[in-house]
Amino acid sequence: MMTVLPIIQLIVLASAASNEVKDVQVVIVDKDQSEISRTITNKVNANDWFTLLATTFDQDAAFAYMQSGDADVILEIPKDFEQRFYRGEAPQMQMLVNAINGQQATVGSGYLSSLIADVNQDILIDEPRLLSTTNGRQSATIVSNNWYNPELKYPHFMAPGILAELTALLVIILSAMNVVKEREVGTIEQINVTPIKKWEFILGKLVPFLCVGLVLLTMGLITSKIVFGIPIRGSMFLVFGYGIINIICVLGLGLLISNFAETQQQAIFVAFFFVMIFILMCGLFTPIESMPVWAQKLTIPNPLAHFISVTRKVLLKGSGFMDVKWEFIYTISLAIIFNTFAIWSYKKQQ
């Protein structure tokens, strides 16, 4: 175990954790329906850095992609763009960036600006007469707006994720050490001779650490608001409701580890294995969209990834329950699985 688990971490994390930003999700609102707008659309569609989610004429439909979190960037090409371009009037396109994920937003918008500059330059080369009307300047410009985090403040992006990470880290370590500690000091034998049922024992271990996790979550939110001024646009009941489910889920995993570990050191070592994978594959430091497809699938059973997603969506975007329903469904499923196995694996003398 001492050598196998680090090797598994090496293989998984080296392949999945990367700062390279790719697969930027783009929606194009094409109100011009011109040759230039089609060229830009084709360039985006053919570029490996982007995934073209949709091309639409309806701005509200594009906003729906942004609100659901599917779109990273909306590029709006206004009506009569091509006509104004050839008249040398320097028409503007608008780029709306989902700035909840600061790294994906800044790098993705930079990629798209560079692509449009290349299209602009290609047209000037093909149409030399335009150089005389523009004096060699860019004939088209982009106005960029960052949504949900307009000033791209890094603490607003990081604080909800760090808080979710610390809460999960604390409760999984404490719960992983708990049962095995009682086994080491011998008090587990006294519990085993009582008529207490297995699920009652696990519930008794779970409730105190749930309270500890909620206290940490409350203190962390207050500190983040006072020190970093993070916005709270959504419902705090939704944040705490999800927080309770997530902490129960993580506690179930910790108690499961504790049931199989022989010593506290072994429990910490196994818990550390899961915590490292959870942290580096949760989307906090590496955008999940930039990971390989197999690694993106592995984030589904990662409760920390869902915790970070919910806190960012609710706090920064003001998302409601329907926007985070899948995070709830995944986490409730994981909580049932982990705690069921924790109850099943607890060895009690009958």
Side-chain angles (χ1 to χ4, degrees):
M1 183 181 294
M2 294 289 289
T3 56
V4 172
L5 294 185
I7 295 301
I8 293 175
Q9 284 181 327
L10 174 65
I11 295 172
V12 172
L13 298 180
S15 303
S18 167
N19 286 325
E20 184 181 28
V21 174
K22 51 189 177 183
D23 198 24
V24 179
Q25 310 286 317
V26 179
V27 174
I28 296 179
V29 181
D30 185 2
K31 295 182 178 178
D32 194 40
Q33 300 289 313
S34 64
E35 187 64 31
I36 291 180
S37 67
R38 283 190 289 274
T39 300
I40 292 173
T41 302
N42 292 335
K43 289 275 187 182
V44 170
N45 201 24
N47 195 297
D48 292 337
W49 299 111
F50 303 108
T51 296
L52 184 61
L53 281 181
T55 304
T56 178
F57 192 76
D58 184 2
Q59 198 172 43
D60 291 337
F63 290 162
Y65 281 102
M66 182 76 82
Q67 182 64 31
S68 66
D70 293 330
D72 296 314
V73 178
I74 296 175
L75 178 66
E76 182 178 345
I77 305 173
K79 190 178 180 182
D80 300 329
F81 177 85
E82 186 174 82
Q83 291 182 19
R84 296 182 62 197
F85 182 90
Y86 282 114
R87 288 201 297 262
E89 295 179 4
Q92 292 182 338
M93 284 177 277
Q94 187 176 34
M95 185 161 58
L96 304 176
V97 181
N98 184 349
I100 282 186
N101 187 332
Q103 185 181 7
Q104 190 87 351
T106 53
V107 178
S109 60
Y111 288 163
L112 191 55
S113 298
S114 177
L115 182 145
I116 292 172
D118 290 342
V119 172
N120 191 77
Q121 191 63 34
D122 290 344
I123 295 173
L124 289 177
I125 293 173
D126 293 339
E127 301 284 346
R129 63 183 177 81
L130 289 175
L131 291 173
S132 61
T133 60
T134 61
N135 295 322
R137 292 178 283 104
Q138 296 279 323
S139 296
T141 56
I142 301 175
V143 178
S144 179
N145 290 312
N146 299 313
W147 277 23
Y148 311 123
N149 187 7
E151 297 175 359
L152 290 178
K153 290 184 176 179
Y154 203 63
H156 290 190
F157 165 67
M158 291 298 291
I162 294 289
L163 174 59
E165 178 186 306
L166 293 177
T167 304
L169 180 66
L170 177 70
V171 296
I172 194 173
I173 294 293
L174 289 177
S175 58
M177 293 173 57
N178 192 265
V179 176
V180 69
K181 181 181 178 182
E182 293 215 35
R183 193 178 297 127
E184 284 183 341
V185 298
T187 53
I188 195 77
E189 302 301 330
Q190 299 173 16
I191 298 175
N192 282 338
V193 297
T194 66
I196 188 172
K197 293 182 171 57
K198 292 168 69 172
W199 69 268
E200 293 173 334
F201 173 78
I202 294 297
L203 182 63
K205 294 295 180 186
L206 189 146
V207 171
F209 293 123
L210 175 61
C211 296
V212 172
L214 287 176
V215 169
L216 178 61
L217 181 61
T218 306
M219 297 291 292
L221 286 170
I222 294 172
T223 303
S224 298
K225 181 64 178 176
I226 294 174
V227 178
F228 302 114
I230 63 167
I232 299 178
R233 300 191 175 100
S235 167
M236 291 305 296
F237 289 106
L238 193 58
V239 173
F240 277 96
Y242 178 80
I244 290 172
I245 296 170
N246 193 279
I247 293 170
I248 291 173
C249 171
V250 175
L251 284 171
L253 178 60
L255 292 171
L256 180 61
I257 294 171
S258 191
N259 286 342
F260 285 101
E262 297 294 334
T263 64
Q264 292 187 62
Q265 290 79 7
Q266 194 178 71
I268 292 174
F269 181 75
V270 176
F272 179 75
F273 166 78
F274 284 103
V275 167
M276 280 291 293
I277 290 181
F278 285 169
I279 290 176
L280 293 178
M281 296 184 66
C282 67
L284 183 61
F285 303 107
T286 302
I288 292 176
E289 296 81 3
S290 299
M291 297 178 186
V293 174
W294 63 265
Q296 293 182 33
K297 300 293 183 186
L298 286 181
T299 62
I300 294 176
N302 182 350
L304 190 52
H306 301 306
F307 203 165
I308 291 174
S309 175
V310 169
T311 51
R312 283 178 176 168
K313 285 181 178 178
V314 176
L315 295 178
L316 301 183
K317 289 177 66 175
S319 297
F321 175 75
M322 293 307 293
D323 298 313
V324 294
K325 64 180 179 182
W326 284 109
E327 284 87 345
F328 269 85
I329 292 172
Y330 287 136
T331 309
I332 289 172
S333 301
L334 290 171
I336 293 173
I337 292 171
F338 289 149
N339 284 282
T340 300
F341 274 100
I343 295 170
W344 170 78
S345 61
Y346 172 58
K347 297 178 178 61
K348 182 179 184 300
Q349 295 176 354
Q350 301 293 333

